[in-house]
Amino acid sequence: MSSSTPLSGVNQPLRGIVLVVCATFMFASHDALSKFLGGLYPIVMVVWARYVVHTLLMAGIFLPRSGLNVLRTRRPLLQTLRALSLLSTSLLFTSGLQYLPLAEATAVNFLAPVLVTALSVPLLKERVTVAQWVAVVLGFLGVLIVVHPGGALFTPAILYPFGSALGFSFYQLLTRILAAHDSPTTSNFYAGLCNTLAMSALVPFFWETPRWDHALLMLALGGFGMTAHLLLTQAFRLAAPALLAPFSYCQIIFAGLLGLVFYGQTPDTLSLIGICVICLSGLGAAWMQRRR
């Protein structure tokens, strides 16, 4: 996502936008399904199913083309840290969905872009402008508005999506570093395999045999995640990331709609204001990083 031009040199912005919007719907559907399954089975088991299916699908797509070369990395330690950062995001966010509405949890998770800006100073030694710091402050202000004192979300459970956003910001920073060493396919496949192995070691201690229809939903969970990633990859081959970035926030809209339809949850006025502030801060941070 750091390139100023589409990866393939083909500029088809409308198709790219459509693919990003479809990907955000798939991600929101994945989260809505995680919320449902997490209420029936241990979180470890739900996250395990998501990574197992995701990794098997990636193996079916990429191993016939590239063989085991797809796993060759120049920075195995960084790849492992990146995978574990993503795993922490999955565990924390799925846990948070058991206590929080889908839209609000998704919005807090979208703090990641402004956290990347803040963390790039100590970790990457980048210089952050005053305007970028303003975007960071606005992002945290948005979270405070969402969880305003006296509101239903003013509970320790809000730390779950906040921790998820922090984990995802480390994941994004490591992705930026690894882009100079390994291909996106290698990074994504390595993360999926690493997390599948980690969760497979834990899942026997949390195992509950699912009903057949719930097992199908677990398969769908991994399918949603994998499909969303493939759609995003193709979108960034068709159009510039700067153009597509604003449309990633459609995920919050879809999360709100799915939360309303399946869980009867609607954000109150203050939460909507806070969600808008978070979106604006994230877009501002991405735009300023893009200009640099």
Side-chain angles (χ1 to χ4, degrees):
M1 293 177 63
S2 61
S3 174
S4 60
T5 57
L7 295 178
S8 66
V10 177
N11 189 15
Q12 300 182 44
L14 183 58
R15 287 184 62 193
I17 290 169
V18 170
L19 289 177
V20 165
V21 172
C22 290
T24 60
F25 177 74
M26 298 299 290
F27 279 129
S29 301
H30 168 280
D31 294 340
L33 195 50
S34 294
K35 183 177 178 69
F36 173 73
L37 290 170
L40 300 172
Y41 299 96
I43 300 300
V44 168
M45 187 173 166
V46 175
V47 174
W48 168 81
R50 181 253 187 275
Y51 279 111
V52 166
V53 176
H54 181 107
T55 303
L56 289 176
L57 288 174
M58 284 201 73
I61 294 171
F62 294 108
L63 285 182
R65 302 180 187 176
S66 306
L68 294 179
N69 289 330
V70 74
L71 284 173
R72 290 184 179 176
T73 172
R74 300 176 184 175
R75 305 295 295 273
L77 179 58
L78 284 183
Q79 287 286 10
T80 302
L81 290 174
R82 176 180 177 272
L84 294 177
S85 296
L86 183 61
L87 181 59
S88 70
T89 294
S90 300
L91 289 169
L92 289 169
F93 188 72
T94 306
S95 297
L97 289 176
Q98 306 313 305
Y99 307 100
L100 301 168
L102 196 57
E104 286 89 331
T106 302
V108 174
N109 200 45
F110 266 79
L111 263 182
V114 296
L115 290 174
V116 167
T117 299
L119 291 171
S120 65
V121 177
L123 297 181
L124 300 183
K125 308 302 180 185
E126 292 184 354
R127 187 177 67 86
V128 174
T129 65
V130 173
Q132 286 176 299
W133 280 120
V134 170
V136 172
V137 172
L138 281 176
F140 285 104
L141 178 62
V143 174
L144 290 177
I145 295 173
V146 169
V147 299
H148 52 280
L153 301 183
F154 193 62
T155 70
I158 201 67
L159 295 176
Y160 281 115
F162 182 80
S164 171
L166 186 61
F168 195 60
S169 65
F170 281 111
Y171 170 81
Q172 289 183 322
L173 287 170
L174 289 168
T175 299
R176 188 187 300 178
I177 295 170
L178 286 165
H181 304 282
D182 295 326
S183 70
T185 300
T186 294
S187 293
N188 290 331
F189 194 81
Y190 194 100
L193 181 60
C194 181
N195 290 343
T196 296
L197 294 174
M199 297 309 295
S200 294
L202 291 176
V203 78
F205 301 100
F206 298 89
W207 183 260
E208 293 182 16
T209 302
R211 287 174 16 187
W212 69 269
D213 52 337
H214 292 165
L216 291 178
L217 291 178
M218 290 180 182
L219 291 174
L221 188 68
F224 282 149
M226 180 61 188
T227 302
H229 282 291
L230 290 177
L231 290 173
L232 277 183
T233 300
Q234 185 60 24
F236 287 116
R237 293 182 184 277
L238 297 174
L243 172 68
L244 300 178
F247 294 94
S248 65
Y249 286 84
C250 289
Q251 184 175 341
I252 300 177
I253 298 173
F254 288 131
L257 292 173
L258 291 172
L260 173 62
V261 171
F262 292 105
Y263 301 104
Q265 299 168 335
T266 51
D268 59 24
T269 302
L270 275 179
S271 293
L272 287 173
I273 293 172
I275 289 171
C276 290
V277 172
I278 293 171
C279 292
L280 289 174
S281 68
L283 288 171
W287 179 73
M288 286 180 280
Q289 178 65 33
R290 188 69 188 165
R291 288 191 65 186
R292 295 183 63 189

